[in-house]
Amino acid sequence: MIATNIAEAAVSMTEAQAYARVETGEEEALLAGLVRTASALCESFTGQVLVARPFEEMLPPGGQWQRLGLTPVRAVEEVALVGTDGSTMVLAASEYDLDIDSRGDGWVRVASGDGKRLRVRGQAGLAVEPNGVPEPLRHGILRLVAHLFATRDGSGGEPPAAVSALWRPYRRMRLA
């Protein structure tokens, strides 16, 4: 189970308004929702967090290496054992193994957890701020926002193929 805060949009409202050619503030709330939706769809498609944000993940007990669900992992700040009664014991760095590989996947291993689950807290994201997100991803989000805005009445068909073409080089897929 992964818990994160709401994804920060990878494009600003000003950029979205200019790209979608929205000149008045009357539809700002709609446009803001479309920006959040397009950013979330980009994260889902690529399998990567765009703008750095905190995460908390619960992992099953075990002594083997376990991969964290979000990527790319920027830092792991805390690893704790969680008992069935909800009690937690934060582990010292010497009590667990941690690896963030070259692809940004985070891996954690605790030798003896006595059947307790692991709670891992940290930071994940491609960039620290929205302007650090790769331009093809940002441009795809803007194109999708403009498409969703223009077709908000339900007539308009499929999103532009250019959106997935811009995002595809950044797509991370995992085999289960």
Side-chain angles (χ1 to χ4, degrees):
M1 179 174 155
I2 300 170
T4 62
N5 63 352
I6 296 173
E8 182 177 346
V11 298
S12 71
M13 278 298 295
T14 304
E15 291 172 305
Q17 284 177 311
Y19 197 87
R21 298 183 181 143
V22 176
E23 296 179 8
T24 66
E26 295 172 5
E27 295 171 315
E28 196 168 292
L30 169 66
L31 198 59
L34 295 177
V35 168
R36 287 191 302 272
T37 298
S39 294
L41 286 169
C42 181
E43 284 191 356
S44 179
F45 183 87
T46 62
Q48 299 189 71
V49 175
L50 300 178
V51 181
R53 64 177 182 264
F55 72 86
E56 178 179 294
E57 184 169 347
M58 298 298 288
L59 299 171
Q64 72 278 7
W65 284 99
Q66 297 185 65
R67 184 182 354 199
L68 300 174
L70 289 180
T71 190
V73 174
R74 299 182 75 78
V76 171
E77 296 153 357
E78 178 183 280
V79 176
L81 294 175
V82 180
T84 55
D85 61 355
S87 62
T88 61
M89 181 179 73
V90 177
L91 300 175
S94 61
E95 297 178 286
Y96 62 89
D97 295 315
L98 172 67
D99 183 38
I100 300 174
D101 66 24
S102 62
R103 294 178 44 108
D105 289 335
W107 298 83
V108 179
R109 176 177 65 182
V110 174
S112 64
D114 299 325
K116 297 179 180 177
R117 296 185 310 155
L118 291 177
R119 182 187 70 204
V120 181
R121 291 182 175 161
Q123 293 276 329
L126 278 171
V128 175
E129 60 163 347
N131 282 334
V133 174
E135 284 302 317
L137 296 175
R138 290 170 38 84
H139 187 72
I141 290 169
L142 287 172
R143 289 186 69 102
L144 184 56
V145 167
H147 169 77
L148 294 172
F149 184 79
T151 61
R152 65 191 176 278
D153 62 359
S155 63
E158 301 279 328
V163 172
S164 62
L166 288 162
W167 293 349
R168 192 169 290 115
Y170 298 89
R171 190 171 198 178
R172 303 266 321 265
M173 296 174 65
R174 292 184 180 164
L175 300 176

